[in-house]
């Protein structure tokens, strides 16, 4: 998110993005995601908070379905892992898939 927000400040302003929740586990988003999903209680805690934020702004988040190809509120709410959430949100960041998004933000090789 930090890399995306830093390189796309106007898109963040237009979308009303004012912050993000960071999972920090080294330099790689893939490693971070995998570690979060593998750590007891992390996926349930993190996802419940992310789902609560989405539900609190449900009208706005559902509205993204009309303007962002591939985005689904229902798919987002059905996420059971951090990887699922990333897959559901990747269209919001302009990526066709989670794999494309992870490759696009990977810092391990940068």
């Amino acid at each position: 998110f930090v890399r995306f927000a830093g390189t796309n400040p106007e898109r963040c302003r237009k979308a009303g993005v004012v912050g993000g929740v960071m999972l920090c586990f080294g330099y790689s988003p893939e490693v971070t995601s995998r570690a979060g999903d593998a750590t007891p209680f992390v996926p349930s805690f993190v996802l419940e908070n992310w789902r609560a934020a989405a539900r609190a702004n449900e009208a706005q988040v559902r509205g993204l379905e009309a303007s962002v190809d591939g985005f689904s509120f229902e798919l987002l709410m059905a996420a059971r892992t951090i990887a699922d959430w990333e897959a559901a949100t990747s269209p919001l960041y302009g990526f066709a898939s989670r794999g494309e998004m992870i490759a696009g933000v990977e810092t391990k090789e940068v």
Side-chain angles (χ1 to χ4, degrees):
F1 172 81
V2 173
R3 189 171 176 182
F4 175 84
T7 58
N8 298 280
E10 188 56 33
R11 287 179 72 183
C12 290
R13 267 191 292 282
K14 284 182 180 179
V17 174
V18 294
V21 174
M22 307 305 157
L23 293 175
C24 302
F25 195 91
Y27 52 83
S28 168
E30 179 61 32
V31 170
T32 302
S33 179
R34 256 187 287 126
D37 278 338
T39 304
F41 308 111
V42 168
S44 59
F45 174 79
V46 169
L47 291 172
E48 189 49 43
N49 282 282
W50 289 348
R51 278 193 289 272
R55 281 191 295 270
N57 298 284
E58 187 170 343
Q60 182 180 4
V61 177
R62 280 190 182 276
L64 294 170
E65 291 178 317
S67 61
V68 179
D69 287 339
F71 176 70
S72 163
F73 182 82
E74 298 305 324
L75 188 59
L76 186 69
M77 293 295 105
R80 293 292 169 239
T81 64
I82 294 167
D84 291 345
W85 185 275
E86 292 166 344
T89 58
S90 61
L92 298 174
Y93 299 103
F95 295 102
S97 68
R98 178 187 179 271
E100 185 181 293
M101 180 176 72
I102 292 295
V105 300
E106 181 62 63
T107 58
K108 186 168 130 180
E109 303 299 325
V110 174

